[in-house]
Structures are given as C-alpha cells and as structure tokens.
Amino acid sequence: MELYNENIARLIQRSLLGELTERERQELEAWLKDSREHGVLFNKVKRDMRVSVESPVFCSLNDEFAWLKFKTITRKRKRQVVIWQMLKYVAVIAVPLIISVFWYLGQRDNVVKLASRSSETIVPGESKAVLVAADGKIHELNGKQEQQVIEVGEGVLVKHGGSNLVYDSVVAAEHENILEMNTLRIPRGGEFQLTLSDGTVIYLNSATKLKYPVAFNGKERKVYLSGEAYFEVAKDVERPFYVVTDELEIRVYGTEFNVDTRGKGGVRTVLVNGKIGARDRRGKYEVLMKQGELATLDRKTGEIVLREVDVRRYIAWKDGFFAFEEESLEEIMNTLSLWYNVDVFFQSESVKGLVFTGYMRRYSDVMDILDAITDVVDVHFDVNGRTIIVSK
C-alpha cells in the first residue's frame, strides 16, 4: 500500500470527524497495520491537532477544564450539532497538519528512530512523599499504600491512605499546648495532598517542602514553605493563617491561593478566592491582594508587584495539566525536569529564550510533550537515559 496519497489523507480526516463508513474504517486499519511508520504518523497528526485546538478551547470556556467534559458529552444527542461543528473546525486545522507532517514518511530512518526512542525510564510524577515526624522518625509515603495510621509525635496519630495525609482535629486538639513540628518533603517526580488539623487542605507539587505543627496553638496558624503548593485554608477569623517562605510572608483568614517560591524572577502568589496580604520578610510593607491577582516579589529590588492574571495558568498543575503561556523554554524545561525527575542540558544559551504556548495533560508521556514543543518551536530534543538535551 502506498505510503501516502490523497485518499489516505481523506480517510484520516473522516476518522478525526468520526464519519468513517465500515469499508473506509477497514481500509484505514489496513493502512495502519501495513507499516509501523503509518501508526507513528497517525499519532503524530492527532498530537498536532491537539496542540492547535486545545489552547482556544481551554481559554474560551468559563469552566477551567470544561473542555474535558466537552469530550465526555459527545454521545449526547442534545449536544450533537454543537459538537459536530467543533469537530469540523478541528478538521479544517487537521488536514493541513496531515499533509505537512507526511515528510516523515520520506525519511524512513528518522521515523524509525522516533518510534524506537524509548521513554520507558521517564514516567510522569506520582503520589509520593517523605514525612519527618516530630520524634525524628521517617515515613515513606506513596499513593499505592492502603489506609493506615502513623504516629507522628507523642500520642499524635495521623491517617495515611493513597495520596492523602490527614491530621485529625480531635486528636490534635489534645496537643495544642505542645508545639510539635512535622515536615513533609515531596521529591522530584512527586506530588501529595495534606489536610492539617484545622481542616486546611494543601496540594504539594514536586520538589517541595512544608514544615507545620501537628496542632495549631496560640492566636495564629503558621506553616513554612519551600517549593510550590496550593492552599485551601479553613476559615478562622480569630486565628489568621500564615505561609512563610524565605522571602515572603502571606497572611490569610480563609481563602484559596497558590504559592511558588521557585520562580526565576521571584516568589509568585496568585489569589483564586478571598483576600490575602503579602509582605516581604524584611517587613518593609504589605500589599493586599484581590481575587485574580498575581503578586511577584522581585528578588533584586524587594518590591512586590501586583497584576491581574488568568489564574488557571498558575493552578493548572493541581488539576493535572501543564499550562504554558508564552513561557520560555528554560522555564518549561525546569517544570518538566521536576515533574518527570530528569536533568536538562541546553547546548546553547539562545535556545533557553525560545517561547511556547500550550495546554497539555500533566500525566502524558514526556515524549508527547517534547514532540508537541518541537512542532511549534524550532528546537530539537535528544533523550539519553534520564537526561534531555535541547538544541536548535
């Protein structure tokens, strides 16, 4: 069977639209089975279509990830007209992409190399953490463990199951006069969820450390963060909640926000709901943040800069997505290195400044993401073990 002709392009288009007849489906399947290269190309086309289409869908819908729900309702008759209109729009984009990527078929060696390039040792992050209890004991936690009880201090028990660690408020209340600190460390390639004794829920990203008391006493609640975490703070008007980093202190009374201390430019805090105050650790001044604002502490000047943003870009990681918006390749690869636990090497400084916009699933194969970036940006990736080499 020919590597490529207009009929195959038409069949791929109709397949993406879901309009194949039984005879056409059999013809396309025969073409796919005829050569491994055909399967590689077909998957390539689907990835190209995804990168081109997901971004506007992601940005245009009111619900943060309603486009996922969009996919789940394609079988519902009442939405049939809208869905098919969208799919036809997808097809308009997909057909040029189909044609543009068929050059792979003319370079057999490159296609085989692409197909055989193994990423088996590079897997997405998973639920795992290391808990250092008040008595110094170390507990390895992961998402595969069943429900169990762990002693994290003198008479203090917490529940661990799957990706969650929960401090019981009743047990903690008995120890509120004793300041016992625990530390939860999330390694590269990990994530975890923590519920504090006051009911505050915290989502911790890769390469993050959080130090916190097993029970809050006194007139305030204070935790210490290095890395990135999303907070859903339990409301308590009498006891403000503080998130302390090396450079910034955030004062909260009950709200949702994200803090990232790893940014190249400085600590970034984005407010999703409620109201918080952010001040630099030198105590020069405090700024009050409103919903939808991003506060960035400039490490050079010590100034806290506020601006309105689309918060989805900054909290997408919590819901299983990468959201890159005109982001430099250096920042993107830093994010990927933490989540996939890989090392990144740039062959030239100029490559670091290239920018990319894309919305992709956080649990995808790393090669899918690298290929998506390659399709948009003039850059090349080589994978050697757990090292990714970036070049022009």
Side-chain angles (χ1 to χ4, degrees):
M1 185 175 291
E2 294 182 49
L3 289 179
Y4 166 66
N5 56 44
E6 292 182 3
N7 182 53
I8 292 298
R10 182 183 64 83
L11 291 178
I12 294 177
Q13 177 187 359
R14 289 177 60 80
S15 173
L16 295 172
L17 286 170
E19 295 179 345
L20 286 176
T21 65
E22 180 61 25
R23 183 183 62 80
E24 290 172 333
R25 183 185 63 78
Q26 293 176 359
E27 186 176 354
L28 180 59
E29 288 181 353
W31 180 79
L32 291 172
K33 293 178 181 178
D34 185 59
S35 169
R36 185 179 182 182
E37 298 171 7
H38 295 174
V40 172
L41 174 63
F42 187 67
N43 290 329
K44 170 81 171 168
V45 170
K46 289 194 293 184
R47 287 197 300 270
D48 286 343
M49 181 186 72
R50 179 201 63 207
V51 173
S52 299
V53 177
E54 282 188 0
S55 178
V57 174
F58 180 96
C59 295
S60 63
L61 299 180
N62 290 329
D63 186 11
E64 290 173 303
F65 300 105
W67 59 273
L68 281 181
K69 297 178 182 177
F70 170 83
K71 290 184 178 180
T72 67
I73 61 174
T74 55
R75 295 184 180 87
K76 295 185 179 180
R77 183 178 298 273
K78 64 179 181 179
R79 299 290 181 97
Q80 188 172 9
V81 175
V82 175
I83 292 165
W84 283 109
Q85 286 176 345
M86 176 64 75
L87 287 174
K88 291 180 186 298
Y89 165 69
V90 169
V92 171
I93 297 175
V95 172
L97 288 172
I98 292 171
I99 297 172
S100 67
V101 300
F102 261 90
W103 66 272
Y104 278 102
L105 295 177
Q107 301 185 30
R108 176 179 298 269
D109 292 339
N110 288 342
V111 174
V112 173
K113 181 180 179 181
L114 176 67
S116 63
R117 184 171 52 175
S118 174
S119 61
E120 291 181 2
T121 59
I122 302 178
V123 296
E126 59 183 1
S127 296
K128 56 184 176 181
V130 176
L131 172 64
V132 182
D135 57 7
K137 291 182 179 179
I138 297 176
H139 304 272
E140 299 279 349
L141 311 177
N142 64 65
K144 300 176 182 178
Q145 293 171 330
E146 297 181 356
Q147 184 79 28
Q148 61 178 310
V149 177
I150 301 173
E151 185 173 357
V152 295
E154 187 176 346
V156 180
L157 305 176
V158 297
K159 299 175 184 177
H160 167 238
S163 61
N164 299 300
L165 185 65
V166 180
Y167 286 71
D168 189 279
S169 59
V170 176
V171 175
E174 300 174 357
H175 297 76
E176 61 181 9
N177 295 322
I178 304 174
L179 186 61
E180 292 184 324
M181 303 296 289
N182 283 185
T183 300
L184 194 62
R185 301 177 185 271
I186 316 301
R188 293 195 349 160
E191 63 180 353
F192 219 75
Q193 182 177 325
L194 170 67
T195 301
L196 300 178
S197 61
D198 67 335
T200 292
V201 178
I202 307 173
Y203 302 84
L204 299 115
N205 206 348
S206 302
T208 295
K209 180 177 74 172
L210 186 75
K211 186 177 180 180
Y212 53 93
V214 297
F216 293 109
N217 53 24
K219 297 182 179 180
E220 64 183 24
R221 300 168 289 168
K222 186 173 289 188
V223 300
Y224 302 85
L225 173 71
S226 174
E228 183 173 21
Y230 183 90
F231 293 82
E232 296 176 355
V233 178
K235 190 173 183 179
D236 187 339
V237 295
E238 296 182 355
R239 295 191 302 171
F241 190 99
Y242 292 91
V243 178
V244 182
T245 74
D246 288 342
E247 300 164 288
L248 196 69
E249 183 174 280
I250 301 161
R251 178 169 54 90
V252 189
Y253 286 96
T255 187
E256 296 183 33
F257 59 98
N258 193 84
V259 182
D260 185 2
T261 71
R262 303 174 304 206
K264 186 177 180 181
V267 180
R268 299 188 305 190
T269 303
V270 64
L271 180 59
V272 179
N273 288 307
K275 184 169 59 178
I276 65 177
R279 65 184 179 188
D280 70 303
R281 292 295 302 277
R282 292 176 292 184
K284 293 177 64 176
Y285 64 95
E286 179 180 84
V287 298
L288 294 179
M289 296 179 61
K290 297 181 297 185
Q291 182 174 321
E293 284 188 332
L294 170 72
T296 303
L297 175 66
D298 190 312
R299 290 194 173 104
K300 295 181 179 179
T301 65
E303 180 184 5
I304 300 176
V305 180
L306 289 177
R307 63 186 176 95
E308 292 186 358
V309 296
D310 183 345
V311 299
R312 293 175 298 183
R313 171 188 172 187
Y314 300 92
I315 67 172
W317 67 269
K318 179 181 72 72
D319 296 299
F321 292 85
F322 290 118
F324 303 125
E325 188 72 39
E326 288 297 307
E327 203 159 332
S328 73
L329 198 56
E330 181 179 21
E331 293 174 310
I332 291 172
M333 295 310 297
N334 182 58
T335 297
L336 297 181
S337 72
L338 295 179
W339 180 238
Y340 289 94
N341 189 20
V342 295
D343 296 317
V344 178
F345 175 74
F346 289 89
Q347 287 195 335
S348 67
E349 287 295 317
S350 61
V351 178
K352 295 181 179 180
L354 298 174
V355 297
F356 172 79
T357 295
Y359 303 88
M360 292 161 285
R361 289 170 179 80
R362 192 163 132 102
Y363 301 97
S364 297
D365 188 298
V366 68
M367 297 313 308
D368 289 345
I369 296 175
L370 297 181
D371 288 342
I373 295 174
T374 299
D375 295 338
V376 178
V377 182
D378 185 19
V379 70
H380 178 73
F381 297 100
D382 282 313
V383 179
N384 184 5
R386 302 198 65 82
T387 301
I388 298 176
I389 303 169
V390 191
S391 61
K392 290 286 283 184

